Amino acid sequence: MTTIAVAGATGYAGTEILRLILGHPAYQSGQLSIHALTGSSSVGDRLGQHAPHLVPLADREILATTAENLQGADVVFLALPHGHSGPLAEALGPDTLVIDCAADFRLRSASEWEHYYGSKHAGTWPYGLPEIPGARQQLATTRRVAVPGCFPTGATLALLPAAHSGLISGRVTVTSFTGVSGAGKKAAVQFLGAETMGDAVAYNVAGRHRHTPEITQNLQGVHPDGQEFAITFTPVLAPMARGILTTAQAALPAGTTAEMVQATYEQFYADEPFVHVLPAGIQPHVKNVVGTNMCHLAVAVDERTSTLVVTSAIDNLTKGTAGGAVQSMNIALGWEETAGLPTIAAAP
């Protein structure tokens, strides 16, 4: 029997983790059970008050987020605000698989962390994006996992084959449209339906978004010559509940054709269960990945300007957060990587 606990169980990330766990074959067979569900302002409530869609767990009580309540679980998911994971992780034993959905342990550079987050760097854990070369080997032997940010997941998957093959380096432009659930489950005027419906607005532009160094780190880490990248990242809040549509552009060597790039991407992702490279000329739709752990990709080349244009679509709460966390858990526990992770969206 393997037991899990979820800290931050009533937030969007926490409830999405629980949705996936309820559909996991190990849970359905009795091999996996749910230990503690913890929160902050929801302590003492029943989970059904905050996540009525999780019917099997509706009567579970929300406990305080303390190390004492989380101890005893084999796997602890931390779905907490940035800066809260470090002390909890230290209090949990080295045999506990701790999977952090916040940013606390993603960055390798202490100076970048301090610049973007304004606090002391807590350290670096193995990165929970298995599609990055070498990541699976690290995840298979660790008891600490840093789940990527939602924007870096979509952007990294969009650019990974091009960076890994050395086709791109230097300046890269990334623009991502995101659903409002990416801001978390909180009351704020700018996220009200009346404010977001029929509107779209960019925010944290010109290098100010905290995910910028994470995208840069991922691309520089796979380039065969260690070339540096200068990422210009623009997030855009869009009138949808969930999903991220990313468009990434970068200069290509002269003479690079669309057929060459398409072949590079198809070969790189040929064995990846959660990345689907669309045929040339077809663009991804967010609605086709909502609720799934999939990333749909489209590759194009502007041959007049030798510019790569890649579009990716993910669900920010599934592949971008909770799905990546469960995928990493499966690898770390030696289970089938795809277990409990949906690949088919509802339509229409």
Side-chain angles (χ1 to χ4, degrees), residues 88-314:
L88 281 173
E90 286 183 6
L92 298 172
D95 294 331
T96 303
L97 175 58
V98 182
I99 301 177
D100 184 24
C101 295
D104 295 33
F105 299 98
R106 295 173 188 162
L107 296 181
R108 291 191 289 270
S109 169
S111 61
E112 287 284 68
W113 170 269
E114 291 166 6
H115 173 76
Y116 279 92
Y117 292 91
S119 61
K120 184 178 179 181
H121 187 226
T124 308
W125 289 357
Y127 195 68
L129 191 62
E131 290 81 6
I132 293 179
R136 283 188 174 91
Q137 290 84 346
Q138 291 186 344
L139 293 171
T141 58
T142 188
R143 282 298 175 263
R144 297 291 186 268
V145 177
V147 177
C150 53
F151 285 129
T153 296
T156 300
L157 292 175
L159 293 164
L160 191 57
H164 183 262
S165 65
L167 280 174
I168 63 169
S169 61
R171 185 169 299 280
V172 176
T173 301
V174 178
T175 302
S176 296
F177 287 75
T178 181
V180 294
S181 62
K185 195 174 185 179
K186 59 189 175 185
V189 171
Q190 67 266 38
F191 303 128
L192 294 175
E195 301 292 331
T196 57
M197 288 187 297
D199 191 23
V201 60
Y203 64 99
N204 286 341
V205 302
R208 290 197 294 272
H209 197 280
R210 290 171 166 180
H211 286 171
T212 302
E214 192 177 338
I215 299 170
T216 305
Q217 172 180 282
N218 293 346
L219 298 183
Q220 289 183 179
V222 301
H223 195 283
D225 300 322
Q227 294 291 319
E228 293 189 354
F229 285 82
I231 306 296
T232 298
F233 174 52
T234 302
V236 180
L237 185 66
M240 55 188 182
R242 54 200 289 173
I244 295 177
L245 184 72
T246 293
T247 300
Q249 300 180 0
L252 288 168
T256 306
T257 66
E259 291 77 14
M260 292 165 59
V261 177
Q262 182 79 19
T264 297
Y265 272 70
E266 290 179 353
Q267 182 178 2
F268 187 91
Y269 285 129
D271 298 322
E272 291 296 341
F274 298 119
V275 181
H276 176 48
V277 180
L278 294 163
I282 298 177
Q283 285 292 314
H285 290 247
V286 168
K287 68 177 183 179
N288 293 334
V289 298
V290 167
T292 79
N293 202 50
M294 293 298 297
C295 174
H296 288 189
L297 288 174
V299 182
V301 173
D302 183 343
E303 296 185 7
R304 297 173 304 164
T305 60
S306 296
T307 302
L308 171 69
V309 182
V310 187
T311 311
S312 71
I314 64 168

